[in-house]
Amino acid sequence: MMNILQDFKKGPLDFYRKKASFDWKKLKVFLETEEVIQYQNELYTELQKHADYNQTDSIQTLPFDEQRRIACRQSFIYKSIDLLSISSLIQNLKIPPTATRVMMQVSPSSTIKFSVTDSLFVNVIRSLGTTRHDHFINDTEEGNIIGCYCLTEIAHGSNVKGMQTTATYDKEKRAFILNCKDFQAAKCWAGGLGQMATHAIVYAQLVTENINHGLHCFVVPVRDPKTLLAYPGIIVGDMGEKIGLNGIDNGFLLFNNYEIPRENLLNKLGDVTDDGQYITSFKDPNKRHGAALGSLSLGRVAITGICESYGSKAITIAVRYAGVRKQFGPDDDNEVALLEYQTHQYRLLPYLAAVYVVRIFSTRLSELQYQFSIASVLGNDTANLPDWGMELHAVSSASKPIAGWTMKEAIQESREACGGHGYLKAAGIGDIRNDHDANMTYEGENHILIQQTSNWLLKMWPLVVKRQKISTPMKSADFLTNGMDILLNSKFPAKNIEEICRPESILVIYQWLICHLMQKSSNKLDQELHKSKTQFWAKNDSQVFNAKNLSIAFIQHFMLQTMLEKIAEAQEVELKNVLVKIFALYGLFSLEKYHLSSLYQGGFAVGPLAATLIQEAILKICSELKNDAVALVDVIAPPDFVLNSVLGASDGEVYKHLQAAMFRSPYAMARPSWWQDITNWKENVLKSKL
Amino acid sequence: MMNILQDFKKGPLDFYRKKASFDWKKLKVFLETEEVIQYQNELYTELQKHADYNQTDSIQTLPFDEQRRIACRQSFIYKSIDLLSISSLIQNLKIPPTATRVMMQVSPSSTIKFSVTDSLFVNVIRSLGTTRHDHFINDTEEGNIIGCYCLTEIAHGSNVKGMQTTATYDKEKRAFILNCKDFQAAKCWAGGLGQMATHAIVYAQLVTENINHGLHCFVVPVRDPKTLLAYPGIIVGDMGEKIGLNGIDNGFLLFNNYEIPRENLLNKLGDVTDDGQYITSFKDPNKRHGAALGSLSLGRVAITGICESYGSKAITIAVRYAGVRKQFGPDDDNEVALLEYQTHQYRLLPYLAAVYVVRIFSTRLSELQYQFSIASVLGNDTANLPDWGMELHAVSSASKPIAGWTMKEAIQESREACGGHGYLKAAGIGDIRNDHDANMTYEGENHILIQQTSNWLLKMWPLVVKRQKISTPMKSADFLTNGMDILLNSKFPAKNIEEICRPESILVIYQWLICHLMQKSSNKLDQELHKSKTQFWAKNDSQVFNAKNLSIAFIQHFMLQTMLEKIAEAQEVELKNVLVKIFALYGLFSLEKYHLSSLYQGGFAVGPLAATLIQEAILKICSELKNDAVALVDVIAPPDFVLNSVLGASDGEVYKHLQAAMFRSPYAMARPSWWQDITNWKENVLKSKL
């Protein structure tokens, strides 16, 4: 074990490293296994070899075009790395989320670019196409063509069914004619489309003989693979600068009577015969539509983990800085590290706990998603598959938003907890925030997405009321079998701090919460329907404080439940102890932040005790974890060349790295070329124009 | 009135503009007065004339050096604009905060640069220097020298007293010798120091004959005003790229036996005679220290308004977009604007309300600050001045953090509420967020700062217990005179939604909250002291859930109280009605978000009613304000050339602006120069090195 994990360089962080209650290497091996750590090490080594990935020299944002060029090169290099081949990835289902995390932490733009131009394009053709499309897969794998995925349009994102690009079958030409009636129907946001894709998966309304058969997928050639020039009949281009992820060339695509062969329709779920007959095995067009979008759940599962990959970088930087940075003290000569302050502990440690919980959960969720995909392909366990698919959909529709929001807060709190120096680009947190920001709105806007989860839960409410057994493949909602008992008989489960910190107590509170919010949301929906609102408006008007809170509580509970299963595997008491503290801190912090008033509103808590216990327990665990915090980030931190932060380097030499970074800047001490605008500003500025 | 406010161009926003319950022009005139609107218009016109300020063509981030050059030019142009001269500004005390807002919205970097190189430098010399320093003021005003302000050091920010730069008096040379013993003692973050300042105000520990007399201010020449080259004996340079505000050249400054004349000590509060005797009129060094830092309150008052200037831009963009963007609907053919959805209303409208409350409050606070400064200079009302100064300190120490945090959330929620398109740079919100981010940590880190407010309040607690009259110059805490009655007799003031929406009800709840949190924080402090903790640790250990919440509730109440005074001046019932809704929405939203569980914990609320009323009232006001939202942002929106957002333009032509921006991008449709890295990646990428 000691061979695969190196000790950190001695330095200012030793003070806290020596105080840790556990051995960080043992915790890392427990969480990740030696095999996966070995894999990670190899992948880091492989990536560090390529100059394209090792950007530690650059302390200035690269010019836009240069960011593009490098991300493009990086995305091709990924294709060539054997550790990232499907066969390497699926030998152990813990490896895919680990590989994604490593890649995302090294270079988010190229990782996303790689996954949408390569994996997603091929996966969609595999799942929705037939043998006649195999050549697209082969050409992509051989690198002769480059794919991308076009669903979103300028005027339609979340409302997928509202897409307006049309593919009209022309019997004479035996071809589909693609059209966008205006710019609002242009495809957009497709990663890789802006500058490099030669082919696009395009979702369009399939029309035969003036009948709209709904959204279908087409493979559309957009650029000549030899010259990379766009084909006539389309306008394809780059959407321009974004808040972050500027290495990705998100593109737009506008069709004007653009003709593609009939065979380019991905025809597994529906097809058009040569003479223009539409045929499908689905009687209900909604079911065909659902199947066509099935690939989206995979993206949300991946993003749940991706959010954590950003959050863990940020929290690593902030905790290490807090262990080194001293400010104020009981007297003038003894300044104290930020980590000693209650305020600072409360700002950072709950988010450190959140990173652990989300990492354990997203790894498990990814395993379940892979098992599901494999079962689907092999046709195993078929009776179970629809329920499993629904549950994956419901779970990932909440885990992506809650991981996204929680990590957004973790990143922002980390940035602020680093004080003024956190505002330097060299601190590294600004770029993390700007890149992570995309997670809030892509692959399903979070607020729209999370409604899917409450919809799924509320469908079970009548079963709960009838006290029927509820059992779902992933067991996320099995406790609802006792829902009515929980509502009627469950009581606030603690009379002191020790009791409230027990995992069982915390789970009991969440289970009551979920049942309460199901009842409350269901009642609210009924009330709104009684005001003669339509189902559409009644549902929309019962989101805030009701269905939304339900989805949040549900996924927090499932994350905690998953973590508890992991803790149960721990043998060593030191590891178990620190993991239970992390569990309790995340559970109680989230209760306090999101749900404390619901406990009172629903009558589960009465009087000051509940709030006081929860709050005091949070502060107590924070103060207990302060000595473990540095070791806890050592477990999750990427190597220094990946973290690339003057404040967060593993040697803790904050001030040395700060000085080196400042002195190295090209503008540090050179007089600007326009210095006479300053010395002679009355002439050069006031009397001239730019 | 109609002459100074133009109608907006007809377009997609007319739907909501026509539905507004009030005339936006009347509300604007009520809030700002015709005189101030006229002033704003003139200032906008003046700024728009200069090519340097009109950056609407640029849809790509400019190169670092170009950002610097333009911000530098802009800061000089400010100097030349007559509307920004002191005499123009102080003819009406509503003008200074308005001018700051206009300047910040047009160009934050150059505005901050202007204010620290010009105003702050001169103000510090005026308040801490004597006639022997007049030449520095004259030279700055004539533009012969450029100043900056150096307080923060690499290892010390919030802990001002811990600064380590020394100024040791040398009797022989009749000079001070400045030293930094290492890089940790280097001055840093000084705006304007990085590339342009010729002189710096430097805070250093004044040492005579091995006695440290504490921090004093010195005027230190750093660069030759003719050549802009640094003087020997100092290392001065630029700190490099930041998360935002990259037009500002934040610099560092390191001294190695650097000699300055004795006369460069700003000697109003303490001086050294030629032969090395230290003399001061202050017996208590802490008081001299406090006086030397007095200028900092002014900065925090300004930042309270500056936060709002960012927030109002972001919320304008998001509300206008929400009025135009349609997605989903009761049936496939009738999509509905985002503004119609409960979730969307709840995401945006409380922050729109917050922008109004903070704008009204910060304008008033700025007036009070100016009145205080004028009274200080003229020596009026001297008996009152120390209390007034303390209250300004306490109030601004909470208003800056709460305005900062609230506007941070407003900006982020606006960004996310714009969906995927909000991630485009052309949407304009990313830059706002990155620039605003600095407010969290400069001019006092927010979490440190806000402790000043609770310290001030908790000093009054013994008076409250003794039921003594409490009266402060700004009347922010006068209700505490009845503190014990409030705690003993005050009851939750509403039985239905109508009652909870009344301003009096909301203020009553806050007043109870503040008294409760004072009591709770005071008890907590005593408890910690009883555990034999020192004052230092007891205070630090009673912040989270106690003193911090107290400061927050206090400033929210004072903001609401200030707004209610403004509402009382409204004549027209339409204006009064909409302003009361804004008041109630901000008040109830903040209660729900920060304090709902405290109402239960403290026994002020029992049972489901309180939470239910507050939540239902919030949603009800949101749904009532949805038709006013567009008109409300019309009142606070800057002109389009300043907003510079494809999603937020006043004509509402979102899709046209999106298309134009995308097509205009230099990379939109051109093939990248490195296109063969794509078509021939196996050769060009894999087989070559970067």
Side-chain angles (χ1 to χ4, degrees), chain A residues 61 142 154 156-157 159 227 238 241 243 325 327 335 408 415-416 421 423 434 437 668 671 682, chain B residues 61 142 154 156-157 159 227 238 241 243 325 327 335 408 415-416 421 423 434 437 668 671 682:
Chain A
T61 301
E142 282 167 27
I154 291 288
H156 287 89
N159 184 7
T227 64
D238 190 88
E241 191 174 333
I243 286 177
R325 174 76 170 184
Q327 204 77 178
E335 285 196 299
K408 170 181 77 174
R415 141 68 192 108
E416 294 179 32
H421 297 330
Y423 197 58
N434 285 337
D437 193 37
R671 189 170 61 172
K682 289 176 193 170
Chain B
T61 302
E142 281 167 28
I154 292 288
H156 286 90
N159 183 8
T227 65
D238 191 87
E241 192 173 334
I243 287 177
R325 174 76 171 187
Q327 203 77 179
E335 285 195 298
K408 170 181 76 175
R415 141 68 191 107
E416 294 178 32
H421 297 331
Y423 197 58
N434 285 337
D437 193 36
R671 189 171 60 171
K682 288 176 195 170

Side-chain angles (χ1 to χ4, degrees), chain A residues 79 84 86 89 103 111-126 140 147 298 370:
Chain A
K79 268 175 99 90
L84 297 175
I86 296 286
L89 290 173
M103 294 160 77
T111 304
I112 295 171
K113 203 157 157 151
F114 171 68
S115 67
V116 295
T117 56
D118 213 81
S119 323
L120 183 58
F121 181 75
V122 167
N123 285 343
V124 172
I125 297 176
R126 279 221 176 88
T140 307
L298 209 118
Y370 269 90

